[in-house]
Amino acid sequence: AAKSLGRNNYQIYEVSAEQAQQQNMALKSGLRHAEHNGELRVFYQPQVDAVTEDIVGMEALVRWEHPELGFIGPGFFIPLAEETGLIVSIGEWVLRTACRQAQEWERKFGLRLRLGVNLSAVQLMQPNLLEIVSSALDESGLDANLLEMEVTESISIKAAPNLVENLHGLHRLGCRIAIDDFGTGAASLDYLRKLPADRIKIDQSFVRNIGVDPDDEAIVRATIEMAHRLKRGVVAEGVEIEQHLQFLRANRCDELQGYLFCRPLPTPTFEKLLLERQRLLTAEASS
Ligand code: C2E
Ligand code: MG
Ligand code: MG
Ligand code: MG
């Protein structure tokens, strides 16, 4: 019985692995044409001031609108894009699209919102990263100091040639650097010490456990405290409920991002949000 169970298990595993591989291959070939076919979308999620809850920035988050499968999240296709090297052109497309959009909103609404754009390790190792970023800034007219590049600390500094130089170069261009998913990688403190980071983004796995796990609460508190002592800003991700907000505000976190305020929105919906905000401010000013 044990033997047949073993064989069955093996078979189940083998079939599903094969299917997964086939699916991945189909998706990789589809991804090759996604940009050219206009199937990529950038969504925007607001970042709000922890005290006033006013929108102060937004993060650009890519989605793939597959013709048959519908929306595919980046958690699924970014790894495939990294494996195939497609991330370089997809990442550049996201950067140019988001910079243009941010500049358009600045013009339309007179708002100087910070724009966060995620960079993958593969992009950070590109020798021409700085040329791409400065051309995206020139072409869009966006102020460099409104652009914040988000870097995850899953990348080993030692294993990534050009990484440190590129980040210093981005800084010289006037861009800000944020360490994304802070606390989840193996090298959080090493990153803080060696990279020119302006901000820390506390990972949502810690934020989720506010009110649940006192250890994670202690980590969140200590991270905010440390960021401030190092004169860095701090943003919490994955703020979903009022209790998270109260805790983060009481502990002086600077900015918040999460479903409690808003989900990532497609361009027209985000624009409606800005319009709404503008109406409110105008009404307040004239009353
Ligand atoms: P990230 O940069 O840490 O982005 C935050 C993720 O958390 C986003 O997932 C966002 O939709 C999600 N999120 C925001 N608020 C909440 C919340 O309150 N609760 C929960 N449960 N989730 C929340 P998304 O859009 O699926 O992106 C996943 C990851 O994919 C991103 O994590 C980022 O690492 C990567 N990614 C997204 N866009 C790009 C891109 O243009 N380039 C690169 N290289 N990576 C990207
Ligand atoms: Mg991010
Ligand atoms: Mg994150
Ligand atoms: Mg992430």
Side-chain angles (χ1 to χ4, degrees), residues 63 69 139 198 207 221 251 269 285:
R63 272 101 184 89
L69 303 173
E139 163 201 275
D198 304 283
V207 175
R221 252 196 226 113
N251 286 286
T269 319

Side-chain angles (χ1 to χ4, degrees), residues 45 59 62-63 74 118 120 180-181 204 237-238 240 258-259 264:
Q45 187 178 34
E59 178 172 6
V62 69
R63 272 101 184 89
N118 293 284
S120 117
D180 205 350
D181 308 331
Q204 44 185 274
E237 292 190 311
E240 290 188 354
Y259 296 168

Side-chain angles (χ1 to χ4, degrees), residues 236-285:
E237 292 190 311
V239 180
E240 290 188 354
I241 57 174
E242 189 66 25
Q243 194 179 6
H244 299 161
L245 164 66
Q246 295 309 338
F247 180 93
L248 290 159
R249 186 182 278 161
N251 286 286
R252 306 263 181 277
C253 188
D254 303 311
E255 288 178 24
L256 311 172
Q257 180 180 346
Y259 296 168
L260 177 63
F261 308 101
C262 198
R263 291 189 173 249
L265 301 173
T267 304
T269 319
F270 194 90
E271 185 160 322
K272 268 190 211 129
L273 187 78
L274 296 180
L275 200 64
E276 201 81 348
R277 178 189 172 282
Q278 196 181 40
R279 281 209 200 100
L280 275 175
L281 290 180
T282 321
E284 267 171 35

Side-chain angles (χ1 to χ4, degrees), residues 95-197:
L95 175 72
R96 290 185 193 276
T97 305
C99 285
R100 247 183 266 129
Q101 191 57 68
Q103 171 60 25
E104 188 185 320
W105 283 331
E106 183 180 343
R107 198 161 24 86
K108 273 193 183 164
F109 300 101
L111 285 173
R112 292 181 51 79
L113 298 178
R114 196 192 312 103
L115 170 70
V117 176
N118 293 284
L119 281 183
S120 117
V122 182
Q123 292 174 277
L124 278 162
M125 290 188 278
Q126 294 288 305
N128 64 344
L129 178 70
L130 298 185
E131 279 120 80
I132 288 170
V133 174
S134 51
S135 111
L137 290 167
D138 288 347
E139 163 201 275
S140 63
L142 187 73
D143 263 359
N145 61 30
L146 289 179
L147 180 61
E148 180 169 81
M149 309 308 291
E150 299 193 5
V151 179
T152 71
E153 35 151 55
S154 56
I155 313 161
S156 147
I157 296 179
K158 269 191 242 120
N162 298 327
L163 174 98
V164 180
E165 294 81 353
N166 272 340
L167 289 176
H168 281 287
L170 288 172
H171 235 204
R172 277 195 306 275
L173 289 180
C175 299
R176 298 160 192 255
I177 311 288
I179 303 181
D180 205 350
D181 308 331
F182 189 84
T184 60
S188 307
L189 298 178
D190 205 34
Y191 255 63
L192 260 188
R193 207 162 46 157
K194 294 192 183 134
L195 302 181

